[in-house]
Amino acid sequence: WKGICLVMIFSIAVVGSWLAWMLRGKNFDVLLSLASMFSGGVFLAAGIVHLLGDASEDLEGLSDEMNGYPIAFLLCGL
């Protein structure tokens, strides 16, 4: 299964790169810019969510001082 998944992910990456390269000169600059911003937001959100569990554990002491209010989740939401 790992080999099949590896080939599928590589194929999707190649097709996406080829598609962006083909659309580069055809007035699709706004579309490609929006897609780039969206993908950057996805990576940023994934990183924040990945770190949220550790941040929640680290801020437990502060959370206890505020009657159990989840400070890490509040800061993530802001």
Side-chain angles (χ1 to χ4, degrees):
W1 287 108
K2 289 182 182 180
I4 293 171
C5 290
L6 176 72
V7 169
M8 286 175 49
I9 291 172
F10 181 74
S11 299
I12 291 170
V14 167
V15 168
S17 298
W18 175 77
L19 185 61
W21 185 72
M22 292 299 288
L23 295 177
R24 183 179 46 170
K26 294 186 169 93
N27 293 331
F28 285 104
D29 292 337
V30 174
L31 178 65
L32 290 177
S33 178
L34 289 174
S36 179
M37 288 187 284
F38 177 75
S39 64
V42 168
F43 282 116
L44 183 62
I48 289 173
V49 169
H50 177 73
L51 295 174
L52 190 56
D54 291 332
S56 178
E57 288 177 7
D58 290 344
L59 293 175
E60 257 183 33
L62 183 61
S63 179
D64 291 339
E65 291 177 14
M66 298 185 71
N67 297 327
Y69 196 79
I71 298 297
F73 298 102
L74 172 70
L75 293 175
C76 180
L78 293 177

